[in-house]
Amino acid sequence: MNKAYSTSIESSRIAHSIGTALDRFIKNNQDEFPYASGELSQLLRDIALASKVVNREVNKAGLIDIMGGIGSTNLAGDQQQKLDVLANIRFTRALTKGGEVCALVSEESESFVDLNNHGQYVIAIDPLDGSSNIDVNVSIGTIFSIYRRKSAPGTPIRSEDILQKGSEQVAAGYILYGSSTMLVYTTGHGVHGFTHETSLGEYFLSHPDMQIPEDGKIYSVNEGLYNSFEPAMKQYLQFCKDSSYTARYIGSLVADFHRNLLKGGVYIYPATSRDARGKLRLIYECNALAYLVEQAGGKASDGRRRILDIDPESLHQRSPFYVGSKNMVEKAESFIQRTAIN
Ligand code: FDP
């Protein structure tokens, strides 16, 4: 046996390789990035760094006084949690310092935040999704979408910079603060997942080129809202039961999405009699996950239209959301397209 080869086998036996760090992965794949100027790479690194700070705070939430509400509500009318606000500050600060972002759209702010007129990118972010799970130690997440601005750098931000279709994203991803913390992203060349190694404080590639199974057995819907669903949705839920599907609903979009991405399944937040557009936000929740799922071979729609083709009219616009394994989304759509909401 060749000496160098046997030495490398011996060293990997003694010390397992820890894998590729996120920074190195980004650097190695720089030429796959749209507009490979290095700014988008830096932006992803800024997001990763902010997520580590948020992760640290999420992990010690029980120990310091950062749980519970702060007594105000956000735009959606949800009670703002201390950690929601804290995560918003952490991400906004990291993205301001980086200088690559001209405007930030966040669930926590009514209007977009003007960060730096010279930045090339617009970012839409839900800094901490799944707020109702914060205080009970259940997985929560961060969701982000990155767009290239349309107007010239140095000029005022215009609505066409902010209200772009999901298909115009140049990168998107999420961070899952779960039993381990993961960062999953795409720049349009597949979906890659990185796991946070706590003792080293680094993300390492753990899930290269993720693909969602075409089919699955898991359906994720808040069935407590059953009475407010349209008849077609009720029929679809009956179909799920008749097909012996498994119901799994964490109530944290990122966590439900991530599980279905790995195992195959469909997540649905449909129209209800109260909200014909459902609950979830197109710009900073649905678009990123739609881009990711398509890159992984799955599908995302509002029941009728591809999510990424929807032209947004306002920052906080809602949309019904059907996302997951291609065949399962298509099956759900086939029910929904039979009737209109009553
Ligand atoms: P939350 O309100 O707790 O922030 O994005 C909103 C979201 O959570 C999703 O993460 C989650 O999937 C959904 O709402 C849960 O809503 P319901 O409680 O109505 O099921």
Side-chain angles (χ1 to χ4, degrees), residues 78 126 129-133 222 225 249 251-253 256 267 269 279-280 285:
D78 302 327
D126 184 351
D129 184 73
S131 330
S132 53
N133 283 322
N222 181 352
L225 302 173
Y249 190 73
S252 275
L253 176 58
D256 280 308
Y267 172 98
Y269 208 110
K279 174 182 183 186
L280 302 181
E285 290 179 316

Side-chain angles (χ1 to χ4, degrees), residues 51-322:
S51 77
K52 289 182 201 171
V53 180
V54 172
N55 182 48
R56 190 188 63 190
E57 266 137 20
V58 166
N59 273 305
K60 59 185 186 191
L63 297 172
I64 52 175
D65 183 28
I66 49 171
M67 297 218 285
I70 57 169
S72 57
T73 52
N74 66 12
L75 270 256
D78 302 327
Q79 276 288 324
Q80 279 186 304
Q81 305 294 306
K82 286 181 196 166
L83 264 171
D84 278 340
V85 175
L86 200 140
N88 195 40
I89 294 170
R90 291 291 182 201
F91 280 104
T92 310
R93 197 178 283 164
L95 295 166
T96 309
K97 282 197 179 143
E100 297 86 16
V101 180
C102 62
L104 176 139
V105 177
S106 161
E107 177 171 33
E108 304 304 323
S109 320
E110 180 162 3
S111 177
F112 71 85
V113 185
D114 199 334
L115 291 185
N116 161 23
N117 261 349
H118 293 276
Q120 299 270 15
Y121 294 96
V122 171
I123 187 156
I125 190 162
D126 184 351
L128 212 55
D129 184 73
S131 330
S132 53
N133 283 322
I134 289 177
D135 283 357
V136 290
N137 217 345
V138 172
S139 301
I140 44 184
T142 296
I143 306 174
F144 62 91
S145 290
I146 302 173
Y147 296 85
R148 184 96 170 162
R149 75 183 290 178
K150 302 244 178 203
S151 59
T155 62
I157 311 301
R158 300 219 293 258
S159 71
E160 74 230 37
D161 296 323
I162 307 290
L163 299 177
Q164 299 194 44
K165 279 187 197 169
S167 57
E168 297 183 273
Q169 290 170 98
V170 293
Y174 60 81
I175 296 106
L176 172 63
Y177 311 98
S179 45
S180 62
T181 295
M182 281 193 71
L183 186 152
V184 176
Y185 83 88
T186 184
T187 54
H189 296 271
V191 177
H192 307 292
F194 297 78
T195 301
H196 188 240
E197 212 286 339
T198 39
S199 59
L200 298 173
E202 265 298 348
Y203 286 105
F204 287 93
L205 182 63
S206 52
H207 296 67
D209 203 9
M210 299 169 86
Q211 290 290 313
I212 185 166
E214 273 207 338
D215 246 313
K217 283 275 178 196
I218 296 175
Y219 71 107
S220 320
V221 185
N222 181 352
E223 285 199 75
L225 302 173
Y226 185 88
N227 288 342
S228 70
F229 292 159
E230 57 187 302
M233 185 64 204
K234 291 178 177 167
Q235 285 157 21
Y236 172 69
L237 291 175
Q238 190 54 49
F239 162 82
C240 293
K241 294 177 216 304
D242 294 343
S243 310
S244 303
Y245 284 1
T246 297
R248 290 282 182 274
Y249 190 73
I250 298 167
S252 275
L253 176 58
V254 173
D256 280 308
F257 177 87
H258 184 73
R259 182 205 49 242
N260 292 354
L261 178 62
L262 295 180
K263 293 191 164 186
V266 63
Y267 172 98
I268 301 178
Y269 208 110
T272 63
S273 49
R274 206 187 69 181
D275 293 306
R277 283 181 157 182
K279 174 182 183 186
L280 302 181
R281 307 305 177 131
L282 177 65
I283 293 188
Y284 44 81
E285 290 179 316
C286 306
N287 274 342
L289 302 183
Y291 187 27
L292 285 158
V293 86
E294 286 198 5
Q295 281 292 315
K299 212 172 164 183
S301 83
D302 70 352
R304 292 174 172 80
R305 289 172 298 174
R306 181 181 177 230
I307 287 288
L308 297 182
D309 286 340
I310 300 175
D311 239 327
E313 291 147 19
S314 62
L315 283 190
H316 300 282
Q317 176 174 332
R318 297 172 196 268
S319 172
F321 197 37
Y322 295 67

